[in-house]
Amino acid sequence: LADILANINTAMTAGISNTGNTPWQIADLTAYADLYAEGKTGLTEEKQQELLNYIITQAADATYASELAKNIIALKAMGYDARKVVTVNTPADTYFNLVAELKQMMENKTGYADSIYTLPYILIAFQQDDAYATKAEINALIKQILDQQLTSGGWGYHDGTADVLDFDTTAPIMLALSKYYDTNPEVKAALDKVLTPAAIATAQGKTGAIYSSWSNAPSAETTGLVLAGLAACGKDYTDYKVGDKTLAD
């Protein structure tokens, strides 16, 4: 893990990614800094300010709910309140409220805020601070996700003839809902349908990794999210094998 974080650090020090991954990289570095680097990300103050400016600019221009969600997560990881952001266009003594902007998209059903591909990231964004969403708002989000579960378990899409269990969709939902696995019976019942080794194995290749439906190839990103979701639900990843290969392999 230390090597992975060092690689992220090196990449971010070299320049800001234009792939949209910068908020996730910031969240990763910050989340693990206390455990592996005595609270230090290894980034200079100048680089941290550059990243902060980048995130705020991206968030202010966001037209997709997923963009707002991931920038809220990154800002909170850096120690900033996403409800109190200042941009060059912000009037004096006021703030640009990313959380309120995201809720407005949800209310208006714009920016794909009601998409099953977006909902888990909105939920994770709201989980960053108890003040970001009321219990009723959280429960409404959970219901939206549960209502779109496939009858066969998990989440995905319809290909015109049948429902398709898709782990690019299911993996982030596993992680987002894991917080409620032990306290919400409906969430537990829904997740239990896809947390079985048999269900996970439907998307595992011979290396143990999860195949992405987008690339039809093993995906480190999707496999990592499945591992995170399983761990958050208290599951042992070694139970999820293809032959002798686990998800971690």
Side-chain angles (χ1 to χ4, degrees), residues 95-162:
Y95 296 105
F96 178 60
N97 187 333
L98 271 64
V99 176
E101 289 290 318
L102 181 54
K103 289 182 180 181
Q104 191 64 55
M105 282 189 179
M106 294 171 64
E107 181 178 342
N108 296 339
K109 296 184 178 180
T110 57
Y112 299 98
D114 58 347
S115 166
I116 194 60
Y117 303 110
T118 304
L119 289 171
Y121 298 106
I122 295 176
L123 183 55
I124 292 171
F126 286 165
Q127 289 170 355
Q128 302 309 300
D129 193 305
D130 289 342
Y132 284 176
T134 65
K135 185 175 181 180
E137 288 171 330
I138 293 292
N139 287 338
L141 262 175
I142 292 172
K143 184 177 186 303
Q144 275 188 278
I145 294 172
L146 296 184
D147 285 348
Q148 296 187 57
Q149 186 173 26
L150 304 177
T151 55
S152 58
W155 289 261
Y157 58 92
H158 192 81
D159 68 358
T161 59

Side-chain angles (χ1 to χ4, degrees), residues 5-100:
L5 294 175
N7 289 337
I8 294 173
N9 190 305
T10 299
M12 295 187 71
T13 300
I16 294 177
S17 168
N18 62 0
T19 63
N21 289 328
T22 295
W24 303 127
Q25 293 170 334
I26 290 172
D28 287 342
L29 279 180
T30 308
Y32 289 101
D34 288 340
L35 290 175
Y36 293 93
E38 298 180 349
K40 300 176 182 178
T41 62
L43 300 173
T44 65
E45 289 186 11
E46 291 79 7
K47 176 56 69 172
Q48 291 184 57
Q49 185 62 53
E50 180 186 357
L51 291 167
L52 179 61
N53 294 342
Y54 173 82
I55 288 173
I56 290 173
T57 300
Q58 292 295 306
D61 294 336
T63 56
Y64 295 107
S66 59
E67 294 292 318
L68 279 175
K70 69 182 181 182
N71 284 303
I72 288 170
I73 293 167
L75 282 171
K76 191 62 179 180
M78 295 179 76
Y80 297 98
D81 189 342
R83 299 170 301 167
K84 298 181 178 181
V85 174
V86 176
T87 72
V88 293
N89 297 318
T90 305
D93 300 321
T94 63
Y95 296 105
F96 178 60
N97 187 333
L98 271 64
V99 176

Side-chain angles (χ1 to χ4, degrees), residues 196-208:
T196 65
I200 301 295
T202 62
Q204 283 180 279
K206 61 183 180 181
T207 65

